[in-house]
Amino acid sequence: MNMNLCDVSVVKRLMSKYQTGTKKSFGQNFLINKDVPYSIASESISYHRQVCGGKKSAVIEIGPGIGSLTSELCQVYDKVFAIEIDKALIPILAETLAEYDNVSVINEDFLKINLDEFIEKNLGECTVSVCANLPYYITTPIIMALLEKARNSDGTSKLTSITVMVQREVAMRLCANEKKGDYGAITASINYYGEAKRLFDVTPDSFLPPPKVTSSVVRIELYPEPKYKVESEKMLFKVISGAFSQRRKTLINSLSSSFSNITKDKIGEIISGLGFDLNIRAEKLSIGDFCRLADEFARL
Ligand code: SAM
């Protein structure tokens, strides 16, 4: 029989039966509002089906907790791989997911997994998405690992989409409109790989324990073919991080602090050669502009 994994008394009973509790150090805030895991899974599978049609589908979940989102994913995806760092939760997941035969739970630190190899080995024949209520203390490293490492040799992504719950403030940065407000290094980097959309907000009372801030669900829809071509991706990300390293400074000043081997005059020449004012700031550049800038640096 189905257990309601969002019922606080069920969560507490499972925790006490397996002699564990929620751990702040692992960013554990479990969902206790049943509508939320259902909606996250629906947003993930609806886009996945729209892009991949009826092909065999798989999803990777980072941090299943006690399985509330996992059980929703098991009902809509053909295969589910749930990677959980906390070994105390593994026997709980064995109990809560016992009725599903399409789920594999892996007790690992997601950031230590060789993602490329993992997908090749386990999910070679499937179309793959990622869906998670992320541990907030490592949101950015997880998203960057998903974008940078899950790739084919021709530069295309091995993933269809990444649907994740993050802090609302981070969501605003991930989904910022080009050249406006919260636009920063992470926005420009995401724009290189795909498009990020903020889908809905979730209030703190939907979690146990409640976090201090409102959360948002974001879907990053990855380009099936690379949209931008650059001579060196390594240089692109070096230029993006250098450009945003000192937000209050102009682009020329930030870049000359980050690229100490290139003279300020040369950097100025490159910036004006691309048709920009010498006082321009990083937040005024689109990802296309960054690609052109990085190509100039790569050619030096
Ligand atoms: N999915 C569950 C839910 O929505 O109720 C739990 C979400 S909770 C915000 C984050 C989960 O990620 C926790 O279960 C935590 O133990 C796990 N976690 C934290 N760091 C991790 C890591 N490096 N690798 C894998 N899982 C991790």
Side-chain angles (χ1 to χ4, degrees):
M1 208 186 66
N2 269 345
M3 248 185 278
N4 178 0
L5 298 175
C6 288
D7 180 327
V8 176
S9 61
V10 172
V11 181
K12 288 190 173 159
R13 185 178 55 73
L14 284 166
M15 292 299 206
S16 128
K17 179 172 170 191
Y18 291 94
Q19 297 179 350
T20 186
T22 53
K23 298 187 181 95
K24 210 174 165 189
S25 58
F26 286 146
Q28 292 178 354
N29 299 94
F30 297 146
L31 281 166
I32 51 163
N33 173 350
K34 188 113 189 74
D35 296 339
V36 179
Y38 172 81
S39 304
I40 300 175
S42 304
E43 289 289 356
S44 173
I45 192 66
S46 62
Y47 181 77
H48 192 98
R49 286 198 184 124
Q50 188 188 316
V51 174
C52 304
K55 289 188 196 145
K56 207 165 176 198
S57 63
V59 68
I60 299 173
E61 185 191 7
I62 301 142
I66 64 158
S68 56
L69 175 58
T70 327
S71 57
E72 297 292 344
L73 293 170
C74 287
Q75 293 171 51
V76 292
Y77 277 93
D78 292 318
K79 276 190 182 184
V80 178
F81 280 83
I83 302 167
E84 174 56 62
I85 198 171
D86 185 357
K87 84 169 181 295
L89 296 176
I90 305 303
I92 300 188
L93 288 161
E95 176 175 339
T96 59
L97 301 174
E99 68 188 281
Y100 302 105
D101 60 6
N102 58 340
V103 60
S104 306
V105 174
I106 298 142
N107 182 205
E108 284 274 6
D109 176 344
F110 174 77
L111 291 175
K112 293 198 177 135
I113 285 183
N114 181 330
L115 202 53
D116 208 24
E117 240 176 63
F118 177 85
I119 295 175
E120 253 346 283
K121 198 168 126 213
N122 298 292
L123 305 167
E125 84 288 14
C126 298
T127 52
V128 187
S129 279
V130 166
C131 187
N133 169 14
L134 287 181
Y136 293 166
Y137 73 108
I138 42 170
T139 302
T140 306
I142 289 179
I143 292 179
M144 287 318 291
L146 291 169
L147 295 174
E148 286 170 5
K149 296 191 182 146
R151 308 190 59 205
N152 297 308
S153 51
D154 63 359
T156 54
S157 180
K158 285 187 174 17
L159 303 173
T160 304
S161 65
I162 301 168
T163 305
V164 282
M165 175 121 67
V166 298
Q167 286 174 286
R168 187 170 182 275
E169 179 206 333
V170 175
M172 303 296 270
R173 270 192 276 133
L174 300 180
C175 307
N177 277 334
E178 223 162 54
K179 308 182 190 182
K180 281 196 207 139
D182 300 295
Y183 184 70
I186 182 99
T187 331
S189 306
I190 285 183
N191 292 352
Y192 178 70
Y193 297 104
E195 262 176 52
K197 296 180 178 160
R198 197 168 121 238
L199 302 174
F200 57 89
D201 288 347
V202 180
T203 50
D205 58 1
S206 293
F207 301 84
L208 181 81
K212 290 201 175 68
V213 291
T214 297
S215 303
S216 300
V217 175
V218 166
R219 184 171 61 213
I220 305 173
E221 302 170 358
L222 295 152
Y223 297 131
E225 302 288 331
K227 185 167 172 185
Y228 302 96
K229 295 238 162 33
V230 280
E231 301 217 353
S232 157
E233 281 185 359
K234 201 170 157 206
M235 180 58 85
L236 172 67
F237 294 111
K238 202 171 162 198
V239 167
I240 293 176
S241 79
F244 284 101
S245 59
Q246 285 151 305
R247 273 199 88 106
R248 268 172 245 272
K249 286 199 180 175
T250 54
L251 180 65
I252 185 170
N253 282 339
S254 303
L255 287 177
S256 28
S257 318
S258 310
F259 289 84
S260 50
N261 56 329
I262 308 175
T263 63
K264 194 171 171 182
D265 284 351
K266 185 70 206 166
I267 294 176
E269 235 175 73
I270 294 176
I271 293 175
S272 4
L274 291 172
F276 298 120
D277 190 286
L278 272 184
N279 290 322
I280 197 165
R281 286 171 197 276
E283 55 266 35
K284 296 288 170 216
L285 267 61
S286 68
I287 181 61
D289 297 331
F290 276 116
C291 290
R292 291 194 297 136
L293 189 60
D295 279 350
E296 293 298 328
F297 274 75
R299 283 182 205 125
L300 288 177

